[in-house]
Short mmCIF file of all heavy atoms in Angstrom, two decimals:
data_model
loop_
_atom_site.label_atom_id
_atom_site.label_comp_id
_atom_site.label_asym_id
_atom_site.label_seq_id
_atom_site.Cartn_x
_atom_site.Cartn_y
_atom_site.Cartn_z
N MET A 1 -146.79 -45.10 64.18
CA MET A 1 -146.68 -43.87 64.94
C MET A 1 -145.41 -43.88 65.84
O MET A 1 -145.39 -43.24 66.85
CB MET A 1 -147.88 -43.68 65.76
CG MET A 1 -149.05 -43.21 64.87
SD MET A 1 -148.61 -41.65 64.18
CE MET A 1 -150.19 -41.09 63.66
N ASN A 2 -144.37 -44.66 65.54
CA ASN A 2 -143.19 -44.62 66.33
C ASN A 2 -142.07 -43.77 65.71
O ASN A 2 -140.89 -43.92 66.14
CB ASN A 2 -142.62 -46.09 66.54
CG ASN A 2 -143.49 -46.83 67.47
OD1 ASN A 2 -144.19 -46.22 68.29
ND2 ASN A 2 -143.53 -48.14 67.34
N GLU A 3 -142.47 -42.96 64.75
CA GLU A 3 -141.41 -42.10 64.13
C GLU A 3 -140.90 -41.07 65.16
O GLU A 3 -141.65 -40.48 65.92
CB GLU A 3 -141.98 -41.34 62.90
CG GLU A 3 -142.44 -42.34 61.80
CD GLU A 3 -143.09 -41.57 60.72
OE1 GLU A 3 -142.98 -40.28 60.69
OE2 GLU A 3 -143.74 -42.20 59.85
N ALA A 4 -139.57 -40.79 65.05
CA ALA A 4 -138.96 -39.78 65.88
C ALA A 4 -139.36 -38.42 65.36
O ALA A 4 -139.22 -38.18 64.17
CB ALA A 4 -137.46 -39.91 65.95
N ILE A 5 -139.87 -37.63 66.22
CA ILE A 5 -140.29 -36.24 65.83
C ILE A 5 -139.19 -35.27 66.22
O ILE A 5 -138.74 -35.26 67.35
CB ILE A 5 -141.58 -35.85 66.48
CG1 ILE A 5 -142.68 -36.85 66.06
CG2 ILE A 5 -141.97 -34.38 66.10
CD1 ILE A 5 -144.00 -36.60 66.78
N PHE A 6 -138.74 -34.49 65.19
CA PHE A 6 -137.65 -33.49 65.44
C PHE A 6 -138.29 -32.33 66.17
O PHE A 6 -139.20 -31.68 65.69
CB PHE A 6 -137.04 -33.06 64.13
CG PHE A 6 -135.98 -31.98 64.38
CD1 PHE A 6 -134.76 -32.33 64.83
CD2 PHE A 6 -136.27 -30.64 64.08
CE1 PHE A 6 -133.75 -31.35 65.02
CE2 PHE A 6 -135.31 -29.71 64.23
CZ PHE A 6 -134.08 -30.04 64.74
N ASP A 7 -137.77 -32.11 67.43
CA ASP A 7 -138.25 -31.02 68.21
C ASP A 7 -137.02 -30.16 68.54
O ASP A 7 -136.15 -30.55 69.32
CB ASP A 7 -138.92 -31.52 69.42
CG ASP A 7 -139.56 -30.32 70.21
OD1 ASP A 7 -139.48 -29.19 69.76
OD2 ASP A 7 -140.13 -30.61 71.28
N PRO A 8 -136.90 -28.93 67.98
CA PRO A 8 -135.67 -28.10 68.31
C PRO A 8 -135.56 -27.81 69.80
O PRO A 8 -134.43 -27.59 70.27
CB PRO A 8 -135.98 -26.83 67.52
CG PRO A 8 -137.05 -27.15 66.57
CD PRO A 8 -137.79 -28.33 67.10
N ALA A 9 -136.65 -27.84 70.54
CA ALA A 9 -136.51 -27.51 71.98
C ALA A 9 -135.82 -28.67 72.72
O ALA A 9 -135.34 -28.40 73.81
CB ALA A 9 -137.93 -27.30 72.52
N ASN A 10 -135.74 -29.82 72.15
CA ASN A 10 -135.07 -30.93 72.90
C ASN A 10 -133.68 -31.19 72.41
O ASN A 10 -132.98 -32.11 72.90
CB ASN A 10 -135.90 -32.24 72.58
CG ASN A 10 -137.23 -32.18 73.28
OD1 ASN A 10 -137.41 -31.53 74.32
ND2 ASN A 10 -138.19 -32.94 72.72
N GLN A 11 -133.15 -30.32 71.54
CA GLN A 11 -131.78 -30.47 71.10
C GLN A 11 -130.74 -29.89 72.07
O GLN A 11 -131.10 -28.96 72.78
CB GLN A 11 -131.60 -29.85 69.72
CG GLN A 11 -132.46 -30.38 68.65
CD GLN A 11 -132.26 -31.87 68.44
OE1 GLN A 11 -131.18 -32.35 68.30
NE2 GLN A 11 -133.40 -32.63 68.52
N PRO A 12 -129.54 -30.48 72.15
CA PRO A 12 -128.56 -29.88 73.05
C PRO A 12 -128.19 -28.51 72.59
O PRO A 12 -128.05 -28.23 71.38
CB PRO A 12 -127.39 -30.84 72.98
CG PRO A 12 -127.61 -31.65 71.72
CD PRO A 12 -129.05 -31.66 71.45
N VAL A 13 -127.88 -27.66 73.56
CA VAL A 13 -127.54 -26.27 73.22
C VAL A 13 -126.08 -26.10 73.62
O VAL A 13 -125.67 -26.44 74.65
CB VAL A 13 -128.47 -25.30 74.02
CG1 VAL A 13 -128.07 -23.85 73.76
CG2 VAL A 13 -129.92 -25.53 73.69
N ALA A 14 -125.28 -25.42 72.69
CA ALA A 14 -123.92 -25.15 73.01
C ALA A 14 -123.85 -24.03 74.00
O ALA A 14 -124.54 -23.05 73.96
CB ALA A 14 -123.18 -24.66 71.70
N GLN A 15 -122.95 -24.25 74.99
CA GLN A 15 -122.84 -23.26 76.06
C GLN A 15 -121.55 -22.45 75.79
O GLN A 15 -120.55 -23.01 75.43
CB GLN A 15 -122.72 -23.93 77.40
CG GLN A 15 -123.95 -24.67 77.87
CD GLN A 15 -125.11 -23.70 78.09
OE1 GLN A 15 -124.93 -22.67 78.62
NE2 GLN A 15 -126.31 -24.14 77.66
N PRO A 16 -121.59 -21.13 76.05
CA PRO A 16 -120.38 -20.37 75.79
C PRO A 16 -119.32 -20.71 76.83
O PRO A 16 -119.65 -20.91 78.05
CB PRO A 16 -120.85 -18.91 75.97
CG PRO A 16 -122.11 -18.98 76.70
CD PRO A 16 -122.71 -20.34 76.40
N THR A 17 -118.07 -20.75 76.45
CA THR A 17 -116.95 -20.97 77.28
C THR A 17 -116.26 -19.69 77.66
O THR A 17 -115.84 -18.97 76.77
CB THR A 17 -115.93 -21.94 76.64
OG1 THR A 17 -116.66 -23.09 76.14
CG2 THR A 17 -114.90 -22.42 77.61
N PRO A 18 -116.11 -19.39 78.89
CA PRO A 18 -115.41 -18.11 79.19
C PRO A 18 -113.91 -18.25 78.92
O PRO A 18 -113.29 -19.29 79.04
CB PRO A 18 -115.65 -18.00 80.76
CG PRO A 18 -115.99 -19.33 81.22
CD PRO A 18 -116.57 -20.09 80.07
N ILE A 19 -113.35 -17.11 78.45
CA ILE A 19 -111.92 -17.06 78.15
C ILE A 19 -111.20 -16.49 79.39
O ILE A 19 -111.57 -15.41 79.89
CB ILE A 19 -111.66 -16.11 76.91
CG1 ILE A 19 -112.40 -16.65 75.76
CG2 ILE A 19 -110.16 -16.07 76.65
CD1 ILE A 19 -112.31 -15.79 74.50
N PRO A 20 -110.25 -17.19 79.93
CA PRO A 20 -109.52 -16.68 81.11
C PRO A 20 -108.80 -15.44 80.82
O PRO A 20 -108.22 -15.30 79.72
CB PRO A 20 -108.57 -17.80 81.45
CG PRO A 20 -109.01 -19.03 80.70
CD PRO A 20 -109.78 -18.58 79.54
N LEU A 21 -108.78 -14.53 81.77
CA LEU A 21 -108.08 -13.25 81.57
C LEU A 21 -106.65 -13.41 81.27
O LEU A 21 -106.07 -12.65 80.54
CB LEU A 21 -108.30 -12.36 82.84
CG LEU A 21 -107.70 -10.99 82.77
CD1 LEU A 21 -108.42 -10.15 81.66
CD2 LEU A 21 -107.86 -10.25 84.13
N ARG A 22 -105.97 -14.49 81.85
CA ARG A 22 -104.52 -14.70 81.61
C ARG A 22 -104.29 -15.00 80.19
O ARG A 22 -103.22 -14.65 79.68
CB ARG A 22 -104.16 -15.89 82.58
CG ARG A 22 -102.69 -16.13 82.62
CD ARG A 22 -102.34 -17.24 83.59
NE ARG A 22 -102.60 -16.80 84.97
CZ ARG A 22 -101.69 -16.25 85.75
NH1 ARG A 22 -100.50 -15.97 85.31
NH2 ARG A 22 -101.97 -15.88 87.01
N GLU A 23 -105.22 -15.68 79.49
CA GLU A 23 -105.05 -15.85 78.05
C GLU A 23 -105.37 -14.73 77.19
O GLU A 23 -104.88 -14.57 76.10
CB GLU A 23 -105.88 -17.12 77.60
CG GLU A 23 -105.42 -18.46 78.10
CD GLU A 23 -106.27 -19.54 77.63
OE1 GLU A 23 -106.89 -19.41 76.59
OE2 GLU A 23 -106.39 -20.61 78.36
N LEU A 24 -106.31 -13.91 77.72
CA LEU A 24 -106.79 -12.76 76.94
C LEU A 24 -105.82 -11.54 77.00
O LEU A 24 -105.75 -10.80 76.04
CB LEU A 24 -108.17 -12.34 77.45
CG LEU A 24 -109.07 -11.62 76.56
CD1 LEU A 24 -109.35 -12.37 75.28
CD2 LEU A 24 -110.36 -11.31 77.28
N LEU A 25 -105.16 -11.35 78.12
CA LEU A 25 -104.35 -10.17 78.35
C LEU A 25 -103.29 -9.91 77.30
O LEU A 25 -103.20 -8.75 76.84
CB LEU A 25 -103.76 -10.28 79.72
CG LEU A 25 -103.12 -8.95 80.26
CD1 LEU A 25 -104.20 -7.87 80.33
CD2 LEU A 25 -102.49 -9.18 81.61
N PRO A 26 -102.50 -10.87 76.85
CA PRO A 26 -101.46 -10.51 75.82
C PRO A 26 -102.14 -10.05 74.51
O PRO A 26 -101.58 -9.09 73.88
CB PRO A 26 -100.75 -11.83 75.53
CG PRO A 26 -101.04 -12.70 76.68
CD PRO A 26 -102.33 -12.27 77.26
N TRP A 27 -103.27 -10.52 74.16
CA TRP A 27 -103.94 -10.07 72.95
C TRP A 27 -104.52 -8.70 73.11
O TRP A 27 -104.57 -7.87 72.17
CB TRP A 27 -105.02 -11.07 72.47
CG TRP A 27 -104.47 -12.32 72.05
CD1 TRP A 27 -104.38 -13.51 72.78
CD2 TRP A 27 -103.78 -12.59 70.87
NE1 TRP A 27 -103.75 -14.44 72.07
CE2 TRP A 27 -103.35 -13.95 70.86
CE3 TRP A 27 -103.50 -11.85 69.76
CZ2 TRP A 27 -102.61 -14.52 69.82
CZ3 TRP A 27 -102.82 -12.46 68.68
CH2 TRP A 27 -102.43 -13.73 68.72
N VAL A 28 -105.04 -8.40 74.31
CA VAL A 28 -105.49 -7.05 74.64
C VAL A 28 -104.42 -6.03 74.51
O VAL A 28 -104.54 -4.91 73.94
CB VAL A 28 -106.20 -7.02 76.02
CG1 VAL A 28 -106.54 -5.60 76.44
CG2 VAL A 28 -107.46 -7.86 76.00
N VAL A 29 -103.20 -6.35 75.06
CA VAL A 29 -102.07 -5.48 75.05
C VAL A 29 -101.61 -5.29 73.60
O VAL A 29 -101.36 -4.18 73.21
CB VAL A 29 -100.92 -6.02 75.97
CG1 VAL A 29 -99.66 -5.18 75.71
CG2 VAL A 29 -101.32 -5.99 77.41
N PHE A 30 -101.58 -6.40 72.83
CA PHE A 30 -101.13 -6.27 71.46
C PHE A 30 -102.12 -5.44 70.59
O PHE A 30 -101.67 -4.60 69.86
CB PHE A 30 -101.04 -7.72 70.84
CG PHE A 30 -100.71 -7.80 69.44
CD1 PHE A 30 -99.44 -7.37 69.01
CD2 PHE A 30 -101.59 -8.18 68.43
CE1 PHE A 30 -99.06 -7.38 67.69
CE2 PHE A 30 -101.25 -8.26 67.07
CZ PHE A 30 -100.00 -7.84 66.68
N GLY A 31 -103.41 -5.61 70.81
CA GLY A 31 -104.42 -4.83 70.09
C GLY A 31 -104.30 -3.38 70.52
O GLY A 31 -104.41 -2.47 69.65
N GLY A 32 -104.08 -3.12 71.80
CA GLY A 32 -103.90 -1.70 72.24
C GLY A 32 -102.68 -1.03 71.62
O GLY A 32 -102.79 0.11 71.27
N LEU A 33 -101.60 -1.78 71.50
CA LEU A 33 -100.44 -1.20 70.85
C LEU A 33 -100.71 -0.91 69.37
O LEU A 33 -100.26 0.14 68.87
CB LEU A 33 -99.23 -2.15 71.04
CG LEU A 33 -98.64 -2.18 72.40
CD1 LEU A 33 -97.52 -3.28 72.48
CD2 LEU A 33 -98.08 -0.90 72.78
N LEU A 34 -101.38 -1.81 68.72
CA LEU A 34 -101.74 -1.54 67.30
C LEU A 34 -102.66 -0.32 67.18
O LEU A 34 -102.47 0.49 66.26
CB LEU A 34 -102.44 -2.75 66.71
CG LEU A 34 -101.52 -3.94 66.35
CD1 LEU A 34 -102.32 -5.07 65.72
CD2 LEU A 34 -100.43 -3.53 65.42
N LEU A 35 -103.61 -0.16 68.12
CA LEU A 35 -104.44 0.98 68.05
C LEU A 35 -103.69 2.31 68.35
O LEU A 35 -103.92 3.31 67.76
CB LEU A 35 -105.60 0.84 69.09
CG LEU A 35 -106.68 -0.21 68.66
CD1 LEU A 35 -107.68 -0.36 69.71
CD2 LEU A 35 -107.31 0.22 67.38
N LEU A 36 -102.72 2.23 69.30
CA LEU A 36 -101.91 3.37 69.57
C LEU A 36 -101.08 3.73 68.35
O LEU A 36 -100.84 4.95 68.07
CB LEU A 36 -100.98 3.16 70.77
CG LEU A 36 -101.69 3.26 72.14
CD1 LEU A 36 -100.66 2.94 73.22
CD2 LEU A 36 -102.16 4.68 72.35
N LEU A 37 -100.53 2.74 67.67
CA LEU A 37 -99.74 3.00 66.45
C LEU A 37 -100.65 3.65 65.33
O LEU A 37 -100.21 4.64 64.72
CB LEU A 37 -99.13 1.70 65.90
CG LEU A 37 -98.08 1.82 64.81
CD1 LEU A 37 -96.88 2.54 65.35
CD2 LEU A 37 -97.78 0.46 64.30
N ALA A 38 -101.84 3.13 65.20
CA ALA A 38 -102.79 3.76 64.23
C ALA A 38 -103.10 5.13 64.67
O ALA A 38 -103.21 6.04 63.83
CB ALA A 38 -104.05 2.89 64.13
N LEU A 39 -103.35 5.36 65.93
CA LEU A 39 -103.62 6.70 66.40
C LEU A 39 -102.52 7.67 66.17
O LEU A 39 -102.76 8.83 65.81
CB LEU A 39 -103.99 6.67 67.91
CG LEU A 39 -104.57 7.88 68.53
CD1 LEU A 39 -105.96 8.17 67.89
CD2 LEU A 39 -104.71 7.71 70.01
N TYR A 40 -101.24 7.18 66.34
CA TYR A 40 -100.08 8.02 66.05
C TYR A 40 -100.14 8.41 64.54
O TYR A 40 -99.95 9.60 64.20
CB TYR A 40 -98.77 7.35 66.34
CG TYR A 40 -97.63 8.04 65.67
CD1 TYR A 40 -97.15 9.26 66.20
CD2 TYR A 40 -97.05 7.52 64.54
CE1 TYR A 40 -96.12 9.91 65.60
CE2 TYR A 40 -96.05 8.18 63.88
CZ TYR A 40 -95.56 9.38 64.40
OH TYR A 40 -94.62 10.05 63.81
N PHE A 41 -100.27 7.42 63.66
CA PHE A 41 -100.20 7.76 62.25
C PHE A 41 -101.30 8.67 61.80
O PHE A 41 -101.12 9.53 60.90
CB PHE A 41 -100.21 6.45 61.36
CG PHE A 41 -98.78 5.88 61.27
CD1 PHE A 41 -98.51 4.67 61.94
CD2 PHE A 41 -97.87 6.50 60.58
CE1 PHE A 41 -97.22 4.13 61.84
CE2 PHE A 41 -96.56 6.02 60.46
CZ PHE A 41 -96.27 4.76 61.10
N VAL A 42 -102.52 8.48 62.37
CA VAL A 42 -103.64 9.38 62.02
C VAL A 42 -103.50 10.68 62.61
O VAL A 42 -103.72 11.73 61.95
CB VAL A 42 -104.99 8.70 62.41
CG1 VAL A 42 -106.14 9.64 62.17
CG2 VAL A 42 -105.20 7.44 61.60
N GLY A 43 -103.09 10.76 63.87
CA GLY A 43 -103.15 12.07 64.61
C GLY A 43 -101.88 12.83 64.67
O GLY A 43 -101.90 14.03 64.83
N ALA A 44 -100.68 12.22 64.59
CA ALA A 44 -99.47 12.94 64.91
C ALA A 44 -98.39 12.82 63.87
O ALA A 44 -97.33 13.38 64.05
CB ALA A 44 -98.93 12.48 66.30
N GLU A 45 -98.63 12.03 62.81
CA GLU A 45 -97.60 11.87 61.77
C GLU A 45 -97.64 13.09 60.83
O GLU A 45 -98.16 13.01 59.72
CB GLU A 45 -97.86 10.61 61.05
CG GLU A 45 -97.04 10.32 59.78
CD GLU A 45 -95.57 10.20 60.09
OE1 GLU A 45 -95.16 9.76 61.14
OE2 GLU A 45 -94.83 10.57 59.18
N GLN A 46 -97.19 14.19 61.37
CA GLN A 46 -97.14 15.43 60.62
C GLN A 46 -96.17 16.41 61.21
O GLN A 46 -96.07 16.48 62.47
CB GLN A 46 -98.55 16.03 60.53
CG GLN A 46 -98.60 17.25 59.63
CD GLN A 46 -99.99 17.84 59.68
OE1 GLN A 46 -100.83 17.59 60.56
NE2 GLN A 46 -100.29 18.70 58.67
N GLY A 47 -95.41 17.14 60.43
CA GLY A 47 -94.60 18.19 60.90
C GLY A 47 -93.46 17.70 61.80
O GLY A 47 -92.72 16.78 61.49
N ALA A 48 -93.37 18.36 63.01
CA ALA A 48 -92.25 18.06 63.93
C ALA A 48 -92.26 16.68 64.47
O ALA A 48 -91.23 16.10 64.79
CB ALA A 48 -92.26 19.05 65.09
N THR A 49 -93.41 16.05 64.62
CA THR A 49 -93.57 14.68 65.14
C THR A 49 -93.48 13.62 64.03
O THR A 49 -93.71 12.43 64.32
CB THR A 49 -94.81 14.54 65.94
OG1 THR A 49 -95.95 14.83 65.08
CG2 THR A 49 -94.85 15.46 67.15
N SER A 50 -93.21 14.01 62.77
CA SER A 50 -93.28 13.08 61.69
C SER A 50 -92.03 12.18 61.74
O SER A 50 -90.91 12.58 61.88
CB SER A 50 -93.32 13.79 60.40
OG SER A 50 -93.31 12.93 59.32
N LEU A 51 -92.25 10.85 61.60
CA LEU A 51 -91.20 9.85 61.51
C LEU A 51 -90.81 9.51 60.08
O LEU A 51 -89.68 9.16 59.71
CB LEU A 51 -91.51 8.65 62.30
CG LEU A 51 -91.72 8.72 63.77
CD1 LEU A 51 -92.11 7.44 64.36
CD2 LEU A 51 -90.40 9.25 64.39
N VAL A 52 -91.88 9.56 59.18
CA VAL A 52 -91.72 9.18 57.82
C VAL A 52 -91.60 10.47 56.96
O VAL A 52 -92.52 11.32 57.02
CB VAL A 52 -92.90 8.32 57.32
CG1 VAL A 52 -92.66 7.94 55.88
CG2 VAL A 52 -93.07 7.13 58.20
N PRO A 53 -90.44 10.66 56.30
CA PRO A 53 -90.36 11.85 55.52
C PRO A 53 -91.32 11.95 54.35
O PRO A 53 -91.74 10.91 53.83
CB PRO A 53 -88.90 11.86 54.95
CG PRO A 53 -88.47 10.46 55.08
CD PRO A 53 -89.27 9.80 56.18
N GLY A 54 -91.74 13.10 54.01
CA GLY A 54 -92.69 13.28 52.94
C GLY A 54 -94.09 13.35 53.45
O GLY A 54 -94.35 13.26 54.66
N MET A 55 -95.08 13.53 52.51
CA MET A 55 -96.48 13.70 52.88
C MET A 55 -97.30 12.45 52.65
O MET A 55 -98.49 12.44 52.71
CB MET A 55 -97.09 14.91 52.16
CG MET A 55 -96.47 16.19 52.50
SD MET A 55 -96.86 16.74 54.19
CE MET A 55 -98.60 17.08 54.00
N TYR A 56 -96.66 11.34 52.25
CA TYR A 56 -97.40 10.16 51.84
C TYR A 56 -98.33 9.65 52.97
O TYR A 56 -99.55 9.39 52.69
CB TYR A 56 -96.43 9.07 51.31
CG TYR A 56 -97.18 7.85 50.83
CD1 TYR A 56 -97.74 7.88 49.58
CD2 TYR A 56 -97.24 6.70 51.57
CE1 TYR A 56 -98.45 6.77 49.08
CE2 TYR A 56 -97.94 5.61 51.11
CZ TYR A 56 -98.59 5.63 49.87
OH TYR A 56 -99.22 4.57 49.42
N VAL A 57 -97.80 9.45 54.14
CA VAL A 57 -98.55 8.90 55.24
C VAL A 57 -99.69 9.85 55.58
O VAL A 57 -100.85 9.44 55.82
CB VAL A 57 -97.70 8.59 56.45
CG1 VAL A 57 -98.52 8.14 57.65
CG2 VAL A 57 -96.70 7.50 56.11
N HIS A 58 -99.36 11.14 55.62
CA HIS A 58 -100.38 12.17 55.98
C HIS A 58 -101.50 12.11 54.98
O HIS A 58 -102.69 12.16 55.37
CB HIS A 58 -99.67 13.55 56.01
CG HIS A 58 -100.69 14.66 56.26
ND1 HIS A 58 -101.15 14.93 57.51
CD2 HIS A 58 -101.32 15.51 55.38
CE1 HIS A 58 -102.02 15.90 57.35
NE2 HIS A 58 -102.13 16.25 56.10
N GLU A 59 -101.18 12.06 53.67
CA GLU A 59 -102.26 12.03 52.71
C GLU A 59 -103.06 10.75 52.74
O GLU A 59 -104.26 10.76 52.50
CB GLU A 59 -101.64 12.26 51.30
CG GLU A 59 -100.98 13.63 51.12
CD GLU A 59 -102.00 14.77 51.22
OE1 GLU A 59 -103.21 14.55 50.95
OE2 GLU A 59 -101.54 15.88 51.62
N PHE A 60 -102.35 9.66 53.14
CA PHE A 60 -103.07 8.36 53.16
C PHE A 60 -104.12 8.33 54.21
O PHE A 60 -105.20 7.75 54.07
CB PHE A 60 -102.06 7.26 53.37
CG PHE A 60 -102.61 5.90 53.27
CD1 PHE A 60 -102.95 5.38 51.99
CD2 PHE A 60 -102.80 5.10 54.38
CE1 PHE A 60 -103.48 4.09 51.89
CE2 PHE A 60 -103.37 3.86 54.27
CZ PHE A 60 -103.73 3.36 53.01
N VAL A 61 -103.85 8.99 55.38
CA VAL A 61 -104.77 8.91 56.49
C VAL A 61 -105.53 10.28 56.63
O VAL A 61 -106.16 10.53 57.64
CB VAL A 61 -104.07 8.62 57.82
CG1 VAL A 61 -103.42 7.20 57.77
CG2 VAL A 61 -103.02 9.66 58.20
N HIS A 62 -105.50 11.08 55.59
CA HIS A 62 -106.06 12.43 55.73
C HIS A 62 -107.51 12.46 56.05
O HIS A 62 -107.93 13.21 56.87
CB HIS A 62 -105.82 13.17 54.40
CG HIS A 62 -106.01 14.66 54.49
ND1 HIS A 62 -106.80 15.35 53.63
CD2 HIS A 62 -105.58 15.51 55.40
CE1 HIS A 62 -106.84 16.59 53.97
NE2 HIS A 62 -106.10 16.74 55.05
N ASP A 63 -108.31 11.62 55.39
CA ASP A 63 -109.79 11.62 55.65
C ASP A 63 -110.04 11.19 57.08
O ASP A 63 -110.93 11.71 57.80
CB ASP A 63 -110.52 10.74 54.65
CG ASP A 63 -110.52 11.26 53.28
OD1 ASP A 63 -110.21 12.46 53.12
OD2 ASP A 63 -110.74 10.52 52.33
N GLY A 64 -109.25 10.23 57.60
CA GLY A 64 -109.45 9.70 59.03
C GLY A 64 -109.06 10.86 59.94
O GLY A 64 -109.75 11.01 61.03
N ARG A 65 -108.12 11.63 59.64
CA ARG A 65 -107.75 12.78 60.42
C ARG A 65 -108.89 13.75 60.61
O ARG A 65 -109.27 14.16 61.70
CB ARG A 65 -106.60 13.60 59.76
CG ARG A 65 -105.26 13.46 60.33
CD ARG A 65 -104.36 14.33 59.48
NE ARG A 65 -103.80 15.39 60.32
CZ ARG A 65 -102.89 15.28 61.21
NH1 ARG A 65 -102.32 14.14 61.37
NH2 ARG A 65 -102.51 16.32 61.89
N HIS A 66 -109.55 14.09 59.49
CA HIS A 66 -110.66 15.00 59.57
C HIS A 66 -111.86 14.36 60.28
O HIS A 66 -112.62 14.99 61.04
CB HIS A 66 -111.05 15.50 58.17
CG HIS A 66 -110.12 16.54 57.64
ND1 HIS A 66 -110.28 17.86 57.84
CD2 HIS A 66 -108.97 16.36 56.95
CE1 HIS A 66 -109.27 18.55 57.29
NE2 HIS A 66 -108.43 17.65 56.76
N LEU A 67 -112.06 13.07 59.99
CA LEU A 67 -113.20 12.37 60.65
C LEU A 67 -113.07 12.34 62.16
O LEU A 67 -114.07 12.54 62.84
CB LEU A 67 -113.19 10.93 60.07
CG LEU A 67 -114.38 10.07 60.64
CD1 LEU A 67 -115.69 10.56 60.09
CD2 LEU A 67 -114.14 8.65 60.30
N LEU A 68 -111.85 12.20 62.65
CA LEU A 68 -111.58 12.09 64.13
C LEU A 68 -111.40 13.47 64.74
O LEU A 68 -111.24 13.51 65.92
CB LEU A 68 -110.48 11.18 64.44
CG LEU A 68 -110.70 9.74 63.96
CD1 LEU A 68 -109.42 8.93 64.23
CD2 LEU A 68 -111.82 9.11 64.76
N GLY A 69 -111.37 14.55 63.91
CA GLY A 69 -111.25 15.91 64.50
C GLY A 69 -109.91 16.29 64.85
O GLY A 69 -109.75 17.27 65.65
N PHE A 70 -108.85 15.69 64.32
CA PHE A 70 -107.49 16.15 64.64
C PHE A 70 -107.24 17.41 63.78
O PHE A 70 -107.71 17.57 62.70
CB PHE A 70 -106.48 15.09 64.22
CG PHE A 70 -106.41 13.98 65.16
CD1 PHE A 70 -107.04 12.80 64.94
CD2 PHE A 70 -105.67 14.11 66.36
CE1 PHE A 70 -106.97 11.73 65.85
CE2 PHE A 70 -105.63 13.02 67.28
CZ PHE A 70 -106.24 11.86 67.03
N PRO A 71 -106.49 18.37 64.36
CA PRO A 71 -106.20 19.56 63.61
C PRO A 71 -105.28 19.25 62.40
O PRO A 71 -104.36 18.42 62.50
CB PRO A 71 -105.40 20.44 64.63
CG PRO A 71 -104.92 19.50 65.69
CD PRO A 71 -105.89 18.37 65.70
N CYS A 72 -105.57 19.82 61.29
CA CYS A 72 -104.87 19.50 60.06
C CYS A 72 -104.49 20.71 59.34
O CYS A 72 -103.36 21.14 59.34
CB CYS A 72 -105.75 18.56 59.23
SG CYS A 72 -104.91 17.93 57.74
N HIS A 73 -105.42 21.37 58.60
CA HIS A 73 -105.10 22.49 57.84
C HIS A 73 -106.20 23.53 57.92
O HIS A 73 -107.27 23.21 58.39
CB HIS A 73 -104.76 22.15 56.39
CG HIS A 73 -105.81 21.36 55.71
ND1 HIS A 73 -106.91 21.86 55.14
CD2 HIS A 73 -106.01 19.99 55.67
CE1 HIS A 73 -107.68 20.85 54.67
NE2 HIS A 73 -107.13 19.74 55.02
ZN1 ZN B 1 -106.71 18.11 56.18
#
């Protein structure tokens, strides 16, 4: 009767490590810029504000435009 009994309650538990804001901030800024770029292409890449000639980008994000409620047609 000296067998070790596995008890999950006695096992070590991994503790979450906080990420310092100084390390997180550049990634937050980078992600925000990517989201702003995506917002531009979905919401404003049309007509006078268009940077890419033609309708390819507009048609590519067309469903997203309607989903987010941007004026379209
Ligand atoms: Zn449309």
Side-chain angles (χ1 to χ4, degrees):
M1 286 298 199
N2 287 335
E3 297 177 13
I5 299 174
F6 178 77
D7 186 2
N10 290 334
Q11 299 304 307
V13 178
Q15 295 295 320
T17 307
I19 301 173
L21 184 63
R22 190 175 291 270
E23 289 181 27
L24 201 59
L25 191 60
W27 293 102
V28 170
V29 171
F30 179 65
L33 287 176
L34 286 182
L35 287 175
L36 281 177
L37 190 66
L39 191 64
Y40 164 76
F41 276 111
V42 171
E45 172 61 31
Q46 183 183 19
T49 59
S50 178
L51 294 177
V52 181
M55 295 292 289
Y56 182 76
V57 174
H58 175 79
E59 294 298 331
F60 188 74
V61 297
H62 192 233
D63 290 344
R65 253 180 114 80
H66 283 270
L67 179 71
L68 295 175
F70 284 100
C72 186
H73 53 86

